[in-house]
Amino acid sequence: MKRKFLALVILGVAMVLILTACSPKNEEVTNAVNLLTHDYHANGYPGKITVINAKHTGYEMYTYLDLKYKYTEKVNGRKVSISDEAGFDKYEDGKKYDTTMYYDGKPDFSQDIAIFVQQAAWQQPKAKKVVARTQRVFKQLATKVHGLSYKKVTGEVGGELERNYAFLPSGKKNAGVRETLTNQITKNRRSASKTAQAFNGFYNFPVQRFMAQNIMWLHVDMQYPMAHDSQSKKGAKQINVMYNQMFTQLKKLDLTHLPDGKYVVEVWFTTKGKENDNLDDCLLTIHDGKLTDTKRYQDNPYGD
């Protein structure tokens, strides 16, 4: 009995030592937060960084600190927060060196932060109401299409606004349109900065106007049970029936309280109650309270 007890004690101590060795040290996390804070402040974001979770990620001799954090600013007396994560290099070629920023291989932190912080636009009270209205519509839609269930709605922005427009017209002929919209975005940020520095002007974006201009949009996640492989002919037929029902029912619903713009709907497929990593998505256009266009984007070779 004593031997078994001793063995359990040794095993427990060993596990604690292993977990302690794998867990980031307080000093390492503090240094990472200090670097993040410095870079935020240097780029015109005076808010506070709060750690949500920190862990080491990687394999063999290459490991980096994966830091999930929350960035918070005060806007009109209330705290507004958005969450993100950052990686910090820890080892290179087996040698430890000073922690440095790691952002998808991009050395320009100002670009990365712009992509992230612009999501603050969806934290505006008016923007939250738009999201809530969209939630109600798609929750109602889920009750009209057999098997379809609602997951969530999130507000999106077209990548880094000054450079990447998700649905804006491309090509040389539309260069003038893109330039005009770029000027509008820049002007909006500058005017917003004169009255409120919230998130360096990103917070103050006019969501409904930018939705109508296809700069911002809403992303809807739905779920649908499959009786067949989604990549098979039978699966494709089932998906096509689901989409036909979805589009038909959407046209019957009251959409008058939704803003003009694009709505990306991602349908996640399930098999026997579990997600099978397959999905299909479509792009909806709503104008003057009506569903005016639907486009399917899928890998299924049998899809319409």
Side-chain angles (χ1 to χ4, degrees):
M1 180 66 72
K2 289 184 178 179
R3 288 182 178 179
K4 287 184 178 180
F5 178 74
L6 183 60
L8 287 173
V9 170
I10 294 173
L11 179 61
V13 171
M15 289 298 294
V16 170
L17 290 173
I18 291 171
L19 290 173
T20 303
C22 295
S23 301
K25 295 180 180 179
N26 290 335
E27 183 181 359
E28 185 181 3
V29 176
T30 300
N31 289 339
V33 170
N34 288 340
L35 279 170
L36 266 178
T37 301
H38 174 271
D39 284 336
Y40 268 84
H41 291 179
N43 284 277
Y45 303 93
K48 183 180 179 181
I49 301 292
T50 306
V51 176
I52 299 174
N53 186 35
K55 64 179 181 179
H56 285 149
T57 304
Y59 58 94
E60 296 179 352
M61 294 305 293
Y62 177 74
T63 311
Y64 67 90
L65 174 67
D66 185 13
L67 185 73
K68 292 184 179 180
Y69 67 94
K70 180 171 63 176
Y71 173 73
T72 305
E73 285 190 24
K74 276 191 175 181
V75 183
N76 300 326
R78 71 184 186 94
K79 291 182 179 180
V80 177
S81 300
I82 47 180
S83 300
D84 197 19
E85 59 182 285
F88 296 82
D89 290 329
K90 188 184 177 189
Y91 294 105
E92 184 176 32
D93 298 329
K95 296 180 180 179
K96 191 170 182 178
Y97 69 111
D98 292 338
T99 305
T100 55
M101 287 298 303
Y102 174 83
Y103 264 89
D104 299 327
K106 298 177 182 177
D108 190 347
F109 179 71
S110 63
Q111 292 182 19
D112 294 299
I113 200 172
I115 295 172
F116 162 55
V117 176
Q118 63 196 13
Q119 298 299 330
W122 288 103
Q123 297 299 317
Q124 299 176 75
K126 289 183 179 180
K128 287 186 174 182
K129 288 181 180 179
V130 170
V131 172
R133 291 173 194 149
T134 306
Q135 287 174 336
R136 287 195 290 270
V137 167
F138 283 90
K139 283 181 179 180
Q140 189 178 1
L141 175 66
T143 66
K144 305 291 184 180
V145 180
H146 179 70
L148 190 67
S149 58
Y150 167 85
K151 291 185 70 176
K152 64 179 180 179
V153 171
T154 51
E156 301 288 348
V157 187
E160 185 184 1
L161 289 182
E162 289 84 351
R163 306 173 117 196
N164 180 21
Y165 305 97
F167 302 117
L168 293 193
S170 59
K172 293 182 179 179
K173 292 182 179 179
N174 297 304
V177 176
R178 293 195 302 276
E179 184 177 357
T180 299
L181 288 170
T182 300
N183 292 337
Q184 287 181 10
I185 293 166
T186 304
K187 183 179 179 181
N188 188 84
R189 284 186 65 191
R190 287 174 179 170
S191 62
S193 297
K194 290 179 181 178
T195 56
Q197 297 291 337
F199 292 88
N200 205 8
F202 282 114
Y203 177 84
N204 306 79
F205 280 161
V207 173
Q208 295 198 31
R209 176 157 64 87
F210 277 4
M211 278 192 68
Q213 294 172 335
N214 299 331
I215 297 171
M216 305 177 74
W217 73 95
L218 284 161
H219 186 110
V220 184
D221 282 304
M222 307 290 281
Q223 198 170 59
Y224 186 72
M226 293 297 298
H228 308 282
D229 183 351
S230 60
Q231 297 296 308
S232 68
K233 287 185 177 181
K234 288 184 178 180
K237 184 177 180 180
Q238 184 183 357
I239 293 169
N240 290 338
V241 170
M242 179 269 295
Y243 268 119
N244 288 336
Q245 292 177 352
M246 181 192 296
F247 298 153
T248 299
Q249 293 301 324
L250 267 173
K251 290 177 180 179
K252 294 179 181 179
L253 295 178
D254 180 13
L255 307 178
T256 55
H257 54 292
L258 296 187
D260 292 352
K262 306 293 185 184
Y263 295 73
V264 176
V265 180
E266 239 177 22
V267 182
W268 294 83
F269 301 131
T270 61
T271 304
K272 296 181 179 179
K274 296 182 180 180
E275 286 190 3
N276 56 25
D277 294 329
N278 289 323
L279 60 89
D280 199 296
D281 53 355
C282 64
L283 176 64
L284 311 178
T285 302
I286 293 176
H287 182 70
D288 289 340
K290 295 180 180 179
L291 181 64
T292 58
D293 190 33
T294 61
K295 290 182 180 178
R296 294 269 307 276
Y297 296 96
Q298 74 282 320
D299 294 325
N300 192 326
Y302 304 110
D304 290 341

